[in-house]
Amino acid sequence: MRRPLALLSPVLLVGALAAPAAADGVDGDAGFTIRDPRITESSGLAASRLHPGVYWTHNDSGDGPYLYAVDGSTGETVATLTLSGIGSPRDVEAISIGPGDRIFVGDIGDNLGGTWPHVWIYELPEPKELRDQTVRATQYVVTYEDGPRDAESLLVHPRTGRVYLIDKKEDGGHLYEGPAELSPSGTNVFRRGPAVDLWATDAAFSPDGERFVVRGYFGGLWYEWNGGDIRRKGRISVPLGQGESVTYTADGTKILLGMEGANSPVRAQDAPGGEPSDGPRTPSGGTGAAASEDGGTDEGTLRVGAVGLLVVCAAFFGLRRLRRPR
């Protein structure tokens, strides 16, 4: 989503102080930069299981029915998919990969405060060959049991294939559970579940389905899945700014956090709640500006506070008043 640069620039400044850039990794697990000039509003990120080291992304609203496969070792786009069999995307905010290498795309944004009577989810097979091509997708109509709402987070459980959404509210949202199987005919009603204590812009399951992470503009959380009876375990740090995406790497050892903007960086840190991929882990499971368990001291937050607390607060209250024009 586009936001005035004057309000975002203080946040980006503090984000730069809080999260130094990671060097490009062989398969993206150390972070990378999205190089494609067409991708200026990367709003979702999903690690391919079929093509290790490749990450699927998409632009926010107004781009069209396109998905981009980005090579994590170079940041270059290696394939562009054009979705057929669907209408005109309205506000695409999230992407996830479910069992059987099925890609799910969430056309679920509604920044006008929940004015659209329904939103859409698209499902398509991940292509076995990475090349520019048109892929037919299935379109699902989605509503919420308690009325329309804005959302930017879509999760697909890697074992059950069940789809979940988290609504985006400044004071925290809820996890909404979809039907056991989405139906392409009729309406798929998502039922309200437990609270998620964050102004959420994206979320992702770990590859084993035992945990999930939720990110926002100013911080993040991780939860144990616990069969759907979710348990909040701790915080994660995020690069501050227009942060719109998060995914686990295919092996589950890292999480990657993406941003909007041209040449947008994707930052990497150790996945919370699991064993580190190499070297000792900070108490919360992050790297660098790592977050603490609930009730502890967040090293990254303290550093940001020391250098830019007033700037962050000003940007926060500015963002609260923003709404994207249509």
Side-chain angles (χ1 to χ4, degrees), residues 1-4 41 60-62 90-91 93 110-113 115-116 321-326:
M1 66 185 65
R2 292 185 176 87
R3 298 182 187 274
E41 292 187 278
D60 204 331
S61 57
R90 185 166 52 193
D91 193 354
E93 293 287 357
D110 185 354
N111 278 7
L112 298 180
T115 60
W116 293 325
R321 296 192 293 270
L322 292 175
R323 291 293 185 270
R324 182 191 305 133
R326 294 291 169 195

Side-chain angles (χ1 to χ4, degrees), residues 21 33 104 110 124 136 157 162-163 169 189 202 255 258 262 265 321:
T33 298
F104 292 79
D110 185 354
L124 62 148
R136 186 169 186 82
H157 196 277
R162 198 160 198 156
V163 181
K169 299 179 68 175
V189 179
D202 201 13
I255 57 172
R321 296 192 293 270

Side-chain angles (χ1 to χ4, degrees), residues 7 218 311-322:
L7 285 170
F218 306 112
V311 176
V312 172
C313 290
F316 173 74
F317 287 108
L319 281 170
R320 291 184 63 181
R321 296 192 293 270
L322 292 175

Side-chain angles (χ1 to χ4, degrees), residues 33 48 92 166 200 268 282 312:
T33 298
S48 172
V92 179
I166 301 172
T282 56
V312 172

Side-chain angles (χ1 to χ4, degrees), residues 5 79 143 152 159 212 238 295:
L5 181 60
T143 63
E152 297 187 4
R159 292 181 177 172
F212 70 97
V238 303

Side-chain angles (χ1 to χ4, degrees), residues 226-246:
N226 195 40
D229 182 18
I230 66 174
R231 297 177 181 177
R232 175 173 165 172
K233 299 300 292 183
R235 304 183 186 98
I236 60 172
S237 62
V238 303
L240 300 184
Q242 192 63 29
E244 295 281 340
S245 60
V246 65

